[in-house]
Amino acid sequence: HQVKDKITGVTGIVTSVNFCLNGCIQVCVEAKVDREGRILATWVDLQRVIECPELKSGGLSRQVVIN
């Protein structure tokens, strides 16, 4: 699914979820590929991202449910 960081405005696809020992849950948002072909990614707290169904992600999608 495509997501958007509420603070920075960065949009991308969540590719990884990290559960920290202190209880913080972070996700890796892969934004885009730069001119050299490198993937630009950033880790943000889960509370900072919102799902953006209007953005097309393409490919297969998986849903992570965190209770």
Side-chain angles (χ1 to χ4, degrees):
H1 293 284
Q2 287 278 343
V3 296
K4 180 177 182 179
D5 182 343
K6 293 186 282 188
I7 296 174
T8 65
V10 171
T11 60
I13 299 172
V14 173
T15 58
S16 185
V17 179
N18 185 28
F19 297 90
C20 299
L21 292 175
N22 65 1
C24 178
I25 302 172
Q26 294 184 326
V27 295
C28 180
V29 178
E30 290 189 6
K32 57 184 174 181
V33 177
D34 68 7
R35 292 182 181 170
E36 285 79 36
R38 297 176 296 202
I39 296 173
L40 303 176
T42 184
W43 285 91
V44 297
D45 289 340
L46 181 63
Q47 294 82 8
R48 284 177 46 172
V49 296
I50 55 172
E51 188 175 359
C52 296
E54 67 275 7
L55 299 173
K56 303 280 188 221
S57 62
L60 299 175
S61 65
R62 292 184 230 165
Q63 184 174 3
V64 177
V65 178
I66 301 171
N67 292 327

Coordinates of all heavy atoms in Angstrom, one line a residue:
H1 N 0.8 -1.2 0.0 CA 0.0 0.0 0.0 C 0.9 1.3 0.0 O 1.9 1.3 0.6 CB -0.9 0.0 1.2 CG -1.9 -1.0 1.2 ND1 -3.1 -1.0 0.4 CD2 -2.0 -2.2 1.9 CE1 -3.8 -2.0 0.6 NE2 -3.2 -2.8 1.5
Q2 N 0.4 2.3 -0.7 CA 1.1 3.5 -0.6 C 0.7 4.3 0.7 O -0.4 4.2 1.1 CB 0.6 4.4 -1.8 CG 1.2 3.9 -3.1 CD 2.6 4.4 -3.4 OE1 3.1 5.4 -2.7 NE2 3.3 3.8 -4.3
V3 N 1.7 4.9 1.3 CA 1.5 5.7 2.5 C 2.1 7.0 2.3 O 2.9 7.3 1.4 CB 2.1 5.0 3.7 CG1 1.4 3.6 4.0 CG2 3.6 4.8 3.6
K4 N 1.7 7.9 3.2 CA 2.3 9.3 3.3 C 2.7 9.6 4.7 O 2.0 9.4 5.6 CB 1.3 10.3 2.8 CG 1.8 11.7 2.8 CD 0.7 12.6 2.2 CE 1.2 14.1 2.1 NZ 0.2 14.9 1.5
D5 N 3.9 10.2 4.9 CA 4.4 10.6 6.2 C 3.7 12.0 6.4 O 3.8 12.9 5.7 CB 5.9 10.8 6.1 CG 6.5 11.2 7.5 OD1 5.7 11.7 8.3 OD2 7.7 11.1 7.6
K6 N 2.9 12.0 7.5 CA 2.1 13.2 7.9 C 3.0 14.4 8.1 O 2.6 15.6 8.0 CB 1.2 12.9 9.1 CG 0.1 12.0 8.8 CD -0.8 11.8 10.0 CE -0.2 11.0 11.1 NZ -1.1 10.7 12.2
I7 N 4.3 14.2 8.6 CA 5.1 15.3 8.9 C 5.9 15.8 7.7 O 6.0 17.0 7.4 CB 6.1 14.9 10.1 CG1 5.2 14.7 11.3 CG2 7.1 16.0 10.4 CD1 5.9 14.1 12.5
T8 N 6.6 14.9 7.0 CA 7.5 15.4 5.9 C 6.8 15.4 4.5 O 7.3 16.0 3.6 CB 8.7 14.4 5.8 OG1 8.2 13.1 5.4 CG2 9.5 14.4 7.1
G9 N 5.6 14.7 4.4 CA 4.9 14.6 3.1 C 5.5 13.5 2.2 O 5.0 13.4 1.1
V10 N 6.5 12.8 2.6 CA 7.1 11.8 1.8 C 6.1 10.7 1.5 O 5.4 10.2 2.4 CB 8.4 11.2 2.4 CG1 8.9 9.9 1.7 CG2 9.5 12.2 2.5
T11 N 6.0 10.2 0.3 CA 5.1 9.1 -0.1 C 5.9 8.0 -0.6 O 7.0 8.1 -1.2 CB 4.0 9.5 -1.1 OG1 4.7 9.9 -2.3 CG2 3.1 10.6 -0.6
G12 N 5.4 6.7 -0.3 CA 6.1 5.6 -0.8 C 5.4 4.3 -0.3 O 4.2 4.4 0.1
I13 N 6.1 3.2 -0.4 CA 5.5 1.9 -0.1 C 6.2 1.4 1.2 O 7.5 1.5 1.3 CB 5.8 0.9 -1.2 CG1 5.1 1.4 -2.5 CG2 5.3 -0.5 -0.9 CD1 5.4 0.6 -3.7
V14 N 5.4 0.9 2.1 CA 6.0 0.3 3.3 C 6.6 -1.1 3.0 O 5.9 -1.9 2.4 CB 4.9 0.1 4.5 CG1 5.5 -0.6 5.6 CG2 4.5 1.5 4.9
T15 N 7.9 -1.2 3.2 CA 8.5 -2.5 2.9 C 9.0 -3.3 4.1 O 9.4 -4.5 3.9 CB 9.8 -2.2 2.0 OG1 10.7 -1.4 2.6 CG2 9.3 -1.6 0.7
S16 N 9.0 -2.7 5.3 CA 9.4 -3.4 6.4 C 8.8 -2.8 7.7 O 8.5 -1.6 7.7 CB 11.0 -3.3 6.5 OG 11.5 -4.1 7.6
V17 N 8.6 -3.6 8.7 CA 8.1 -3.1 10.0 C 9.1 -3.5 11.1 O 9.6 -4.7 11.1 CB 6.7 -3.7 10.3 CG1 6.2 -3.3 11.6 CG2 5.7 -3.4 9.2
N18 N 9.4 -2.6 12.0 CA 10.4 -2.9 13.1 C 9.7 -2.6 14.4 O 9.1 -1.6 14.7 CB 11.6 -1.9 12.9 CG 12.7 -2.1 13.9 OD1 12.8 -3.3 14.4 ND2 13.4 -1.1 14.2
F19 N 9.8 -3.7 15.3 CA 9.2 -3.6 16.6 C 10.4 -3.4 17.6 O 11.1 -4.3 17.9 CB 8.4 -4.9 16.9 CG 7.3 -5.1 16.1 CD1 7.4 -5.8 14.9 CD2 6.0 -4.6 16.4 CE1 6.3 -6.0 14.0 CE2 4.9 -4.8 15.6 CZ 5.1 -5.5 14.4
C20 N 10.5 -2.2 18.1 CA 11.7 -1.9 19.0 C 11.4 -2.4 20.4 O 10.2 -2.5 20.8 CB 11.9 -0.4 19.0 SG 12.3 0.3 17.4
L21 N 12.4 -2.6 21.2 CA 12.3 -3.1 22.5 C 11.6 -2.1 23.4 O 10.9 -2.5 24.4 CB 13.7 -3.4 23.1 CG 14.4 -4.6 22.5 CD1 15.8 -4.7 23.1 CD2 13.6 -5.8 22.8
N22 N 11.6 -0.8 23.1 CA 11.0 0.2 23.9 C 9.5 0.4 23.6 O 8.8 1.2 24.1 CB 11.7 1.6 23.8 CG 11.6 2.2 22.4 OD1 11.0 1.6 21.5 ND2 12.2 3.3 22.2
G23 N 9.0 -0.5 22.7 CA 7.6 -0.4 22.3 C 7.3 0.4 21.1 O 6.1 0.4 20.6
C24 N 8.2 1.1 20.6 CA 8.0 1.9 19.4 C 7.9 1.0 18.1 O 8.7 0.0 18.0 CB 9.2 2.9 19.2 SG 9.1 3.9 17.7
I25 N 7.0 1.3 17.3 CA 6.9 0.5 16.0 C 7.2 1.5 14.9 O 6.6 2.6 14.8 CB 5.4 0.0 15.8 CG1 5.0 -0.9 17.0 CG2 5.3 -0.7 14.5 CD1 3.6 -1.3 17.0
Q26 N 8.2 1.1 14.1 CA 8.6 1.9 12.9 C 8.4 1.1 11.6 O 8.5 -0.1 11.6 CB 10.1 2.3 13.1 CG 10.3 3.3 14.2 CD 11.8 3.7 14.3 OE1 12.7 3.0 13.9 NE2 12.0 4.9 14.7
V27 N 8.2 1.9 10.6 CA 8.1 1.3 9.2 C 9.1 1.9 8.3 O 9.5 3.1 8.4 CB 6.6 1.5 8.7 CG1 5.6 0.7 9.5 CG2 6.3 2.9 8.6
C28 N 9.6 1.1 7.4 CA 10.5 1.6 6.3 C 9.6 2.0 5.1 O 8.9 1.2 4.6 CB 11.5 0.6 6.0 SG 12.6 1.1 4.7
V29 N 9.7 3.3 4.7 CA 9.0 3.7 3.6 C 10.0 3.9 2.4 O 10.9 4.8 2.5 CB 8.2 5.1 3.9 CG1 7.5 5.6 2.6 CG2 7.3 4.9 5.0
E30 N 9.8 3.1 1.3 CA 10.7 3.3 0.2 C 10.0 4.3 -0.8 O 8.9 4.0 -1.3 CB 10.9 2.0 -0.5 CG 11.8 1.1 0.3 CD 12.2 -0.2 -0.4 OE1 11.9 -0.3 -1.6 OE2 12.8 -1.0 0.2
A31 N 10.6 5.4 -1.0 CA 10.0 6.5 -1.7 C 10.1 6.4 -3.2 O 9.1 6.4 -3.9 CB 10.6 7.8 -1.2
K32 N 11.3 6.3 -3.7 CA 11.5 6.3 -5.2 C 12.9 5.9 -5.5 O 13.7 5.7 -4.6 CB 11.2 7.6 -5.8 CG 12.0 8.8 -5.2 CD 11.6 10.1 -5.8 CE 12.3 11.2 -5.1 NZ 12.0 12.5 -5.6
V33 N 13.2 5.8 -6.7 CA 14.5 5.5 -7.2 C 15.2 6.8 -7.7 O 14.5 7.5 -8.5 CB 14.5 4.4 -8.3 CG1 15.9 4.1 -8.8 CG2 13.9 3.1 -7.8
D34 N 16.4 7.0 -7.3 CA 17.1 8.3 -7.7 C 17.7 8.1 -9.1 O 17.6 7.0 -9.7 CB 18.1 8.8 -6.7 CG 19.3 7.9 -6.5 OD1 19.4 6.9 -7.3 OD2 20.1 8.1 -5.6
R35 N 18.4 9.1 -9.6 CA 19.0 9.0 -10.9 C 20.0 7.9 -11.1 O 20.3 7.4 -12.2 CB 19.6 10.4 -11.3 CG 18.5 11.4 -11.5 CD 19.1 12.7 -11.8 NE 18.0 13.7 -12.0 CZ 18.2 15.0 -12.1 NH1 19.5 15.5 -12.1 NH2 17.2 15.8 -12.2
E36 N 20.7 7.5 -10.0 CA 21.7 6.5 -10.1 C 21.1 5.1 -9.9 O 21.8 4.1 -9.8 CB 22.8 6.7 -9.0 CG 23.7 7.8 -9.4 CD 23.1 9.2 -9.1 OE1 22.4 9.3 -8.1 OE2 23.4 10.1 -9.9
G37 N 19.7 5.0 -9.7 CA 19.1 3.7 -9.5 C 19.0 3.2 -8.1 O 18.6 2.1 -7.9
R38 N 19.4 4.1 -7.2 CA 19.3 3.7 -5.7 C 17.9 4.0 -5.2 O 17.3 5.0 -5.5 CB 20.3 4.5 -4.9 CG 21.7 4.2 -5.3 CD 22.7 5.1 -4.5 NE 22.4 6.5 -4.9 CZ 23.2 7.5 -4.8 NH1 24.4 7.3 -4.2 NH2 22.9 8.7 -5.1
I39 N 17.4 3.1 -4.3 CA 16.1 3.2 -3.7 C 16.3 4.2 -2.5 O 17.2 4.0 -1.7 CB 15.6 1.9 -3.2 CG1 15.3 1.0 -4.4 CG2 14.3 2.1 -2.4 CD1 14.9 -0.4 -4.1
L40 N 15.4 5.2 -2.5 CA 15.5 6.2 -1.3 C 14.4 5.7 -0.3 O 13.3 5.5 -0.6 CB 15.1 7.6 -1.8 CG 16.0 8.1 -2.9 CD1 15.5 9.4 -3.4 CD2 17.4 8.2 -2.5
A41 N 14.9 5.4 0.9 CA 14.1 4.9 1.9 C 14.3 5.6 3.3 O 15.4 6.2 3.5 CB 14.3 3.4 2.1
T42 N 13.3 5.6 4.1 CA 13.4 6.3 5.4 C 12.6 5.5 6.4 O 11.6 4.9 6.1 CB 12.9 7.8 5.3 OG1 13.1 8.4 6.6 CG2 11.5 7.9 5.0
W43 N 13.1 5.5 7.7 CA 12.3 4.8 8.8 C 11.5 5.9 9.5 O 12.1 7.0 9.9 CB 13.3 4.2 9.7 CG 13.8 2.9 9.2 CD1 15.0 2.7 8.4 CD2 13.3 1.6 9.3 NE1 15.1 1.4 8.1 CE2 14.1 0.7 8.6 CE3 12.1 1.1 9.9 CZ2 13.8 -0.7 8.5 CZ3 11.8 -0.3 9.8 CH2 12.7 -1.1 9.1
V44 N 10.3 5.7 9.7 CA 9.4 6.6 10.5 C 8.5 5.8 11.5 O 8.3 4.7 11.3 CB 8.5 7.5 9.6 CG1 9.4 8.4 8.7 CG2 7.6 6.6 8.7
D45 N 8.1 6.5 12.5 CA 7.2 5.9 13.5 C 5.8 5.6 12.8 O 5.4 6.4 11.9 CB 6.9 6.9 14.6 CG 8.1 7.0 15.6 OD1 9.0 6.1 15.5 OD2 8.2 8.0 16.3
L46 N 5.2 4.5 13.1 CA 4.0 4.1 12.5 C 2.9 5.1 12.6 O 2.1 5.3 11.7 CB 3.5 2.8 13.2 CG 2.2 2.1 12.6 CD1 2.4 1.8 11.1 CD2 1.8 0.9 13.4
Q47 N 2.9 5.9 13.7 CA 1.8 6.9 13.9 C 1.9 8.0 12.9 O 1.0 8.8 12.8 CB 1.9 7.4 15.4 CG 1.5 6.4 16.4 CD 2.7 5.6 16.8 OE1 3.8 5.8 16.4 NE2 2.4 4.5 17.6
R48 N 3.1 8.2 12.3 CA 3.3 9.3 11.4 C 2.8 9.0 10.0 O 2.7 9.9 9.1 CB 4.8 9.6 11.3 CG 5.3 10.3 12.4 CD 6.8 10.6 12.4 NE 7.3 11.1 11.1 CZ 8.5 11.5 10.9 NH1 9.4 11.5 11.9 NH2 8.9 12.0 9.7
V49 N 2.5 7.7 9.6 CA 2.1 7.4 8.3 C 0.6 7.2 8.2 O -0.1 6.7 9.1 CB 2.8 6.2 7.7 CG1 4.3 6.5 7.6 CG2 2.5 5.0 8.5
I50 N 0.0 7.6 7.0 CA -1.4 7.4 6.7 C -1.4 6.7 5.4 O -0.6 6.9 4.5 CB -2.2 8.7 6.7 CG1 -1.6 9.7 5.7 CG2 -2.3 9.3 8.0 CD1 -2.4 10.9 5.5
E51 N -2.4 5.8 5.2 CA -2.6 5.1 4.0 C -3.1 6.0 2.9 O -4.0 6.8 3.2 CB -3.5 3.9 4.1 CG -3.5 3.0 2.9 CD -4.3 1.7 3.1 OE1 -4.8 1.5 4.3 OE2 -4.4 0.9 2.2
C52 N -2.6 5.9 1.7 CA -3.1 6.8 0.6 C -3.6 5.9 -0.5 O -2.8 5.6 -1.5 CB -2.0 7.7 0.1 SG -1.4 8.9 1.3
P53 N -4.9 5.5 -0.5 CA -5.4 4.6 -1.5 C -5.4 5.2 -2.9 O -5.5 4.6 -3.9 CB -6.8 4.2 -1.0 CG -7.1 5.2 -0.1 CD -5.9 5.8 0.5
E54 N -5.4 6.6 -2.9 CA -5.5 7.3 -4.2 C -4.2 7.1 -5.0 O -4.2 7.4 -6.2 CB -5.9 8.7 -4.1 CG -4.8 9.6 -3.4 CD -4.9 9.6 -1.9 OE1 -5.7 8.8 -1.3 OE2 -4.1 10.4 -1.3
L55 N -3.1 6.8 -4.3 CA -1.8 6.6 -5.0 C -1.7 5.1 -5.5 O -2.0 4.2 -4.7 CB -0.7 7.0 -4.1 CG -0.6 8.4 -3.6 CD1 0.5 8.6 -2.6 CD2 -0.4 9.4 -4.8
K56 N -1.3 4.9 -6.7 CA -1.2 3.6 -7.2 C 0.2 3.0 -6.9 O 1.2 3.6 -7.1 CB -1.3 3.6 -8.7 CG -2.6 4.2 -9.2 CD -3.7 3.2 -9.1 CE -5.0 3.7 -9.7 NZ -6.2 3.5 -9.1
S57 N 0.2 1.8 -6.3 CA 1.5 1.2 -5.9 C 2.0 0.2 -7.0 O 3.1 0.0 -7.1 CB 1.4 0.6 -4.5 OG 0.5 -0.5 -4.6
G58 N 1.0 -0.4 -7.6 CA 1.4 -1.5 -8.6 C 1.9 -2.7 -7.9 O 2.3 -2.7 -6.8
G59 N 2.0 -3.8 -8.6 CA 2.5 -5.0 -8.1 C 1.6 -5.6 -7.0 O 0.4 -5.3 -6.9
L60 N 2.1 -6.6 -6.3 CA 1.4 -7.3 -5.2 C 1.3 -6.4 -3.9 O 2.3 -5.6 -3.7 CB 2.0 -8.6 -4.9 CG 2.0 -9.6 -6.0 CD1 2.8 -10.8 -5.6 CD2 0.7 -10.0 -6.4
S61 N 0.3 -6.5 -3.2 CA 0.2 -5.8 -1.9 C 0.0 -6.8 -0.8 O -0.7 -7.8 -1.0 CB -0.9 -4.7 -2.0 OG -2.1 -5.3 -2.1
R62 N 0.5 -6.4 0.4 CA 0.3 -7.2 1.6 C -0.2 -6.3 2.7 O 0.1 -5.1 2.7 CB 1.6 -7.8 2.1 CG 2.1 -8.9 1.2 CD 3.3 -9.5 1.8 NE 4.4 -9.5 0.8 CZ 5.6 -9.7 1.0 NH1 6.1 -9.9 2.2 NH2 6.5 -9.7 0.0
Q63 N -1.0 -6.8 3.5 CA -1.6 -6.0 4.6 C -1.0 -6.5 5.9 O -1.0 -7.7 6.2 CB -3.1 -6.1 4.6 CG -3.7 -5.2 5.6 CD -5.2 -5.2 5.5 OE1 -5.8 -6.0 4.7 NE2 -5.9 -4.4 6.3
V64 N -0.5 -5.6 6.7 CA 0.0 -5.9 8.0 C -1.0 -5.3 9.0 O -1.4 -4.2 9.0 CB 1.4 -5.2 8.3 CG1 1.8 -5.4 9.7 CG2 2.4 -5.7 7.3
V65 N -1.5 -6.2 9.9 CA -2.4 -5.8 11.0 C -1.7 -5.8 12.3 O -1.1 -6.8 12.7 CB -3.7 -6.8 11.0 CG1 -4.6 -6.3 12.1 CG2 -4.4 -6.8 9.7
I66 N -1.7 -4.7 13.0 CA -1.0 -4.6 14.2 C -2.0 -4.3 15.3 O -2.8 -3.3 15.2 CB 0.0 -3.5 14.2 CG1 1.1 -3.8 13.1 CG2 0.7 -3.3 15.6 CD1 2.0 -2.6 12.8
N67 N -2.2 -5.2 16.3 CA -3.1 -5.0 17.4 C -2.4 -4.6 18.6 O -1.4 -4.8 18.9 CB -3.8 -6.4 17.7 CG -4.7 -6.7 16.5 OD1 -5.3 -5.9 15.8 ND2 -4.8 -8.0 16.3

